[in-house]
Amino acid sequence: MTYLALAAVIANGAACSDDSPPALPDASADNHAADVRDERDSTSPDTPGDTSAPMRHSFRRILLSSEFYCEGATYADFDRDGDTDVATGPRWYEGPAFTAAHELYVPQAFDPKNYSDCFFLFARDIDGDGWVDVLRVGFPGADGSWFKNPGTSGGHWPRHQVVNVVDTESPDFTDITGDGRPELVFASGGRLGWAGPDPLDATQPWIFHPTTPASGFHAFTHGLGVGDVNSDGRADILEATGWWQHPPSLMGDPLWTRHPATFGAGGAQMAAVDIDGDGDADVVATLEAHGYGLAWFEQSAGGFTEHIIAPRVADGSGVAIHEPHALAVVDVDKDGDPDIVTGERFWAHVPAGMPDFAAPAHLYWFELVRSQGAVTFIPHLVDDASGVGTQVTVGDVTADGLVDIVVANKKGAFVFVHELSSGPVDP
């Protein structure tokens, strides 16, 4: 069994084409950039195997909008100009500056004390016409609809409602069948399962394929993920009370085999990834979506052993993350090891009384360090005035080889551009 040591070193210096649709007149007025730095240098080199001096990882904050439109965000080259763009709810923003904004559909700003109609956005070419479309999942229990990219025709994107009810609070759009095309993984009628577009006509309703018996999964079930837990090359389903093993064949929609385990009380997205470097998949999960906690679960022959990364309570024993309602696993520092991006979902449940909208909302990345059999996660503050939504999207948005972060929530919509610099470790 490996030993988990949590080194909490955080700095608090951060704040905290042709015929395309016309740019919104006020888009640039709401868009500005400010440096947000994590003042602690990563101890790992920029490139696997590189023994040069460590590089400082910082994130430049770009505010796309200060209004509450959504809690889902994604990125892709929507206008096929070679630059990556960002979509947050009803708008997409042209990269690389993200100052010109275009409407996917008529925007509606929501009261931050309530909820929006966009909890998740996923960018894929759903109909295979060569233009990247957007799949939107709304409030838990609401529909899943995709918006067809109009290409050079411009205008609002035609909407196709393809799933009437999407239950659970962390659905995913990923290739669970192994056919090379993504499917929506979610619950319906108390059962987990998946639905995907008809390759011949993606506008037709997507057929739900249950993978579990009726097990009480509902609109507000927390904690869901997809990953190869048993290393057989097939994607399994993770949820808070265990994992469901992908059968050798999906013909006839067989029920998947359940393996009981406890992965917290129900958090956010879940991942199956080798944390301790022993060759098998461990599990990463936030512990309670409307509480606190982050952990990794070490897989062994006897099951899973929990290792706390951020505590279940704000007791001073480590970085306390309130309402960690979104999670992503990605190699942030390019050292070959998986890191974690997560944070606080501001006003996921609005506090009683007279809550302060200016209160902090933290966004972190946790750096995985392995040394002499020990696993350490070092938390780095990205920002303290944004947090996460129900989704945190990571990837190389700026095409420089570094992992950037895109979020939308009740504080607004943001891109965090990952930057590297060299220099001595700050005292």
Side-chain angles (χ1 to χ4, degrees):
M1 179 184 301
T2 57
Y3 172 76
L4 178 65
L6 177 63
V9 186
I10 301 179
N12 293 316
C16 171
S17 68
D18 295 338
D19 303 320
S20 58
L24 301 179
D26 61 345
S28 60
D30 203 22
N31 186 302
H32 65 274
D35 282 340
V36 178
R37 293 186 176 90
D38 170 354
E39 296 293 341
R40 187 202 181 277
D41 290 325
S42 168
T43 58
S44 39
D46 179 34
T47 304
D50 185 2
T51 57
S52 61
M55 303 294 289
R56 174 180 297 162
H57 297 265
S58 62
F59 289 83
R60 177 166 52 89
R61 181 181 191 261
I62 299 177
L63 175 65
L64 303 177
S65 172
S66 58
E67 297 291 327
F68 172 40
Y69 290 102
C70 60
E71 293 193 73
T74 188
Y75 66 91
D77 183 3
F78 295 115
D79 54 3
R80 301 201 312 192
D81 66 349
D83 294 318
T84 300
D85 313 305
V86 167
T88 61
R91 294 189 177 102
W92 68 273
Y93 298 81
E94 292 183 29
F98 309 112
T99 52
H102 309 271
E103 294 181 1
L104 281 79
Y105 52 90
V106 177
Q108 176 186 351
F110 295 91
D111 183 343
K113 293 185 177 181
N114 294 311
Y115 299 99
S116 76
D117 59 0
C118 175
F119 273 49
F120 299 89
L121 280 185
F122 304 98
R124 299 288 193 281
D125 180 3
I126 293 175
D127 57 357
D129 66 351
W131 293 87
V132 178
D133 312 300
V134 167
L135 173 65
R136 184 189 73 181
V137 176
F139 187 85
D143 67 275
S145 297
W146 69 275
F147 293 77
K148 178 180 173 58
N149 189 330
T152 58
S153 298
H156 286 158
W157 296 27
R159 177 185 176 185
H160 303 282
Q161 182 171 319
V162 288
V163 179
N164 291 333
V165 175
V166 179
D167 284 343
T168 69
E169 294 208 25
S170 299
D172 198 4
F173 194 46
T174 187
D175 181 12
I176 195 171
T177 64
D179 64 355
R181 299 188 297 267
E183 295 86 22
L184 185 63
V185 181
F186 62 105
S188 182
R191 313 169 80 177
L192 292 177
W194 60 272
D198 183 337
L200 300 179
D201 187 357
T203 67
Q204 295 301 306
W206 297 3
I207 298 173
F208 182 69
H209 301 265
T211 60
T212 74
S215 305
F217 298 107
H218 53 84
F220 305 111
T221 293
H222 291 86
L224 186 65
V226 176
D228 185 2
V229 178
N230 60 342
S231 303
D232 64 354
R234 294 187 288 267
D236 309 302
I237 297 178
L238 291 153
E239 42 96 357
T241 69
W243 64 280
W244 299 80
Q245 183 177 344
H246 192 300
S249 172
L250 296 179
M251 293 295 293
D253 286 342
L255 295 181
W256 297 21
T257 302
R258 181 175 183 265
H259 299 271
T262 301
F263 302 123
Q269 292 81 3
M270 304 170 68
V273 62
D274 185 6
I275 294 296
D276 52 8
D278 65 354
D280 60 18
D282 309 299
V283 173
V284 177
T286 63
L287 299 178
E288 190 172 355
H290 298 286
Y292 294 85
L294 171 67
W296 71 279
F297 299 82
E298 179 186 357
Q299 182 171 186
S300 64
F304 292 88
T305 302
E306 178 186 278
H307 300 273
I308 295 295
I309 301 172
R312 281 187 168 85
V313 293
D315 60 1
S317 63
V319 175
I321 307 175
H322 185 227
E323 298 194 288
H325 213 298
L327 174 147
V329 174
V330 64
D331 185 3
V332 175
D333 54 6
K334 296 179 62 179
D335 65 350
D337 300 327
D339 307 304
I340 302 169
V341 178
T342 188
E344 298 170 324
R345 182 187 175 201
F346 184 78
W347 284 8
H349 287 173
V350 180
M354 300 290 290
D356 182 8
F357 188 76
H362 300 93
L363 175 64
Y364 296 97
W365 74 276
F366 288 78
E367 176 189 357
L368 169 59
V369 177
R370 303 186 188 122
S371 178
Q372 299 180 344
V375 171
T376 303
F377 276 96
I378 304 173
H380 300 273
L381 180 64
V382 175
D383 188 48
D384 66 359
S386 55
V388 298
T390 44
Q391 182 180 31
V392 56
T393 301
V394 295
D396 186 5
V397 176
T398 55
D400 60 359
L402 300 176
V403 173
D404 309 303
I405 306 171
V406 183
V407 293
N409 49 47
K410 295 183 178 184
K411 293 275 191 179
F414 311 85
V415 178
F416 293 95
V417 179
H418 189 176
E419 299 177 333
L420 287 178
S421 60
S422 61
V425 177
D426 293 328

